[in-house]
Amino acid sequence: MPNTKNYSTRLRVLDQCLRSGHAYSGKELTDFINRELELRGEPTITSRTTLMDDLLNIENEYHTNIIRKKHGRQTTYQYEDPNFSIFSTELSEDDLLHLSQALNILKRFDGMPEADWVTELSARLNLCMSNHKEVRAAVGFESSMYNKGMEHFTPLFNAIRKKTTVELRYQSFRMAEPQTLIVHPYYLKQYNNRWFLFCCNGDHTNLSNYPLDRILNIRCDQA
């Protein structure tokens, strides 16, 4: 079991060294790794066991061979196949399944404020998987976004973050006519596939919650 802290960085550096065509000693590999970790402001590795475990894990997980040659008291390391790289191997069925499930989870955030990256990342993952046969998803999630009223989510989220008041045009099922409220929004909560705004009325004394699908219109304080 590899030391997972900084593992992805160590893996990338080792892969570059092992496929460079040059055989590096354990000390040289450790120096290369620590140089990269220092540039990233991350803790360096000090144990030889960490390096040995990483090399063994590369062989076992990516089904490749690393040549070990003794030179006196030193041992050098390089890929048996100089054209091999762990970042150019074909995705396994397990890899595809994990990507598929991760993509489904990420899509739950689609449409949320400051989550535009989800759409871009989803497109990139779909592109990576397009050349592989379809993998059936093993988990299905309900949509995290309730369609009606969700146009108010982002401005309310921003009002909470900026601690500004909001004017709501609101009408519950029991109301014959809508009412106008000035509220101080504090929290957005999803429950039973509906979103609710928790807020205080203008006098700061009563805590109320309003479902977003019953909010007709909002006007945020621009101050």
Side-chain angles (χ1 to χ4, degrees):
M1 185 75 175
N3 177 3
T4 56
K5 191 172 186 179
N6 304 323
Y7 180 58
S8 60
T9 300
R10 302 198 311 267
L11 214 60
R12 180 172 56 81
V13 173
L14 284 174
D15 184 68
Q16 291 174 345
C17 293
L18 295 172
R19 64 185 172 89
S20 67
H22 180 82
Y24 290 104
S25 68
K27 182 180 183 307
E28 289 173 319
L29 291 175
T30 300
D31 288 343
F32 284 128
I33 292 171
N34 284 339
R35 190 179 306 164
E36 181 67 21
L37 292 175
E38 286 175 352
L39 288 174
R40 293 171 172 268
E42 300 175 356
T44 58
I45 61 172
T46 57
S47 171
R48 183 176 181 275
T49 302
T50 299
L51 177 64
M52 296 299 104
D53 286 347
D54 286 350
L55 294 172
L56 186 61
N57 187 66
I58 288 174
E59 289 183 302
N60 293 336
E61 185 173 347
Y62 298 97
H63 310 291
T64 190
N65 293 321
I66 295 175
I67 299 175
R68 295 163 172 81
K69 287 186 177 179
K70 294 286 290 184
H71 302 274
R73 299 178 61 182
Q74 271 193 343
T75 302
T76 59
Y77 307 86
Q78 65 183 134
Y79 285 143
E80 183 178 57
D81 179 1
N83 296 316
F84 174 82
S85 171
I86 61 178
F87 297 104
S88 63
T89 55
E90 288 293 316
L91 294 172
S92 68
E93 292 300 314
D94 284 343
D95 291 334
L96 290 172
L97 180 60
H98 292 155
L99 280 174
S100 177
Q101 302 311 325
L103 186 57
N104 284 337
I105 294 171
L106 285 173
K107 283 180 178 177
R108 302 184 73 200
F109 295 92
D110 197 17
M112 300 286 278
E114 300 185 352
D116 293 340
W117 56 270
V118 172
T119 301
E120 181 182 353
L121 182 58
S122 296
R124 289 183 178 181
L125 285 177
N126 279 323
L127 183 62
C128 290
M129 298 167 65
S130 62
N131 294 326
H132 299 269
K133 64 181 180 180
E134 183 178 354
V135 177
R136 179 192 292 184
V139 178
F141 295 99
E142 289 184 358
S143 171
S144 64
M145 307 299 282
Y146 188 83
N147 290 331
K148 187 177 179 182
M150 286 310 299
E151 67 272 16
H152 306 313
F153 189 99
T154 296
L156 288 173
F157 176 90
N158 289 332
I160 293 171
R161 186 175 58 178
K162 295 177 182 178
K163 300 180 180 180
T164 57
T165 57
V166 174
E167 180 183 282
L168 301 183
R169 185 75 170 162
Y170 177 79
Q171 184 177 11
S172 72
F173 290 109
R174 297 187 298 271
M175 291 178 179
E177 298 292 333
Q179 63 180 145
T180 299
L181 305 166
I182 304 296
V183 300
H184 301 270
Y186 290 119
Y187 194 65
L188 287 160
K189 169 70 176 177
Q190 187 186 30
Y191 179 73
N192 283 348
N193 208 31
R194 295 177 76 194
W195 281 92
F196 295 83
L197 171 68
F198 286 80
C199 56
C200 277
N201 294 332
D203 56 6
H204 289 275
T205 57
N206 298 319
L207 182 65
S208 305
N209 69 82
Y210 301 101
L212 266 61
D213 53 88
R214 301 307 301 170
I215 296 176
L216 304 179
N217 190 32
I218 66 171
R219 187 170 65 182
C220 298
D221 188 350
Q222 300 299 317

